[in-house]
Amino acid sequence: IYSDGAPVDAGVEGPGRMVPWSYVSKAMVDHPEIVSVDRRGNKYWMVPEYAYDMARSQKVAEFVHMARKYGIKHFIANMRSEVSQLQAPADKADRFGFNQPVVDDMQRLHGVNILTDPRFDVDAPNFDPHDAMVSKWRDLRGNYLTQLWRDLRAGLRAVDPEIKLA
C-alpha cells in the first residue's frame, strides 16, 4: 500500500539505503503531487497520499491487474513502507499529510489552514498531539485510507467475489 517507489534522483545516501531506488510507479512519475508531503513540501517518497482519488484508483488497478493476470485469490495489503531504505523515516507520526486535498478538506470542513495554523506544526515546542483539531486532521486522513480499503475490496470483488483480502 505504501511502496510505490521513487525516481532515480530521489533519496539520500546513508547506512542501509538503496539509492537510486530500483523502481517507481507510473502514477508517481505522471503525478508527483500524490507523494505525501510535510508542511514545507518535502516529499516522503514511496508513500502516496490517498486523499487523491487518482492515488486510490491507481492502487486498486494494481491489485485488480494482479488478480486478473495471475489469478491471485489471496492478498495481503501490507501497510509497511520501504521508505527508510531511501531516506530517513519520519521522526514524528504527524510529520507528513499536508498535500493540497488534505489542506482543502480541512479548510472546507473545519475552517482551518493546516499549513499556517500553529497547532499543526509538529516541530513547535508546544505541539499538542492530543489537540482536538489535530485529531480531526488524523480522522480525515484515516477516512481517505478507509476509502482506499473500500475501493480495493470492490475492485477485487468485481474480479472474483471469492478473493480474500487481509
Side-chain angles (χ1 to χ4, degrees):
I1 298 297
Y2 291 122
S3 193
D4 283 10
V8 296
D9 61 344
V12 179
E13 294 286 342
R17 304 266 168 80
M18 296 169 48
V19 178
W21 196 251
S22 60
Y23 67 89
V24 62
S25 72
K26 184 173 181 341
M28 282 201 175
V29 170
D30 293 346
H31 300 279
E33 71 275 10
I34 70 170
V35 178
S36 189
V37 296
D38 67 9
R39 286 182 86 191
R40 292 170 189 84
N42 296 312
K43 293 182 181 294
Y44 200 41
W45 285 105
M46 299 192 190
V47 180
E49 174 53 66
Y50 287 117
Y52 292 96
D53 293 336
M54 193 276 306
R56 292 191 308 270
S57 64
Q58 179 276 330
K59 187 55 66 176
V60 170
E62 183 182 319
F63 277 73
V64 166
H65 169 76
M66 290 185 284
R68 284 190 176 133
K69 181 164 183 156
Y70 304 108
I72 297 172
K73 301 293 184 194
H74 299 89
F75 286 89
I76 297 175
N78 193 320
M79 295 179 65
R80 178 184 157 274
S81 173
E82 297 171 326
V83 69
S84 65
Q85 296 176 46
L86 183 69
Q87 67 191 69
D91 58 342
K92 297 178 180 162
D94 294 318
R95 170 73 56 204
F96 293 89
F98 293 89
N99 294 67
Q100 197 60 53
V102 182
V103 172
D104 294 345
D105 284 349
M106 282 298 291
Q107 184 68 51
R108 179 178 54 81
L109 294 168
H110 304 293
V112 173
N113 183 337
I114 61 175
L115 295 176
T116 60
D117 189 309
R119 290 177 289 187
F120 297 89
D121 184 356
V122 72
D123 294 319
N126 60 343
F127 175 75
D128 180 2
H130 304 291
D131 181 271
M133 196 57 69
V134 171
S135 292
K136 289 179 187 296
W137 169 62
R138 289 188 196 121
D139 289 346
L140 176 64
R141 294 197 67 229
N143 288 336
Y144 304 133
L145 192 56
T146 298
Q147 189 59 51
L148 168 67
W149 292 110
R150 288 178 179 139
D151 296 348
L152 184 56
R153 180 74 207 103
L156 291 173
R157 278 194 177 134
V159 174
D160 180 348
E162 298 302 313
I163 289 177
K164 305 290 186 218
L165 177 64

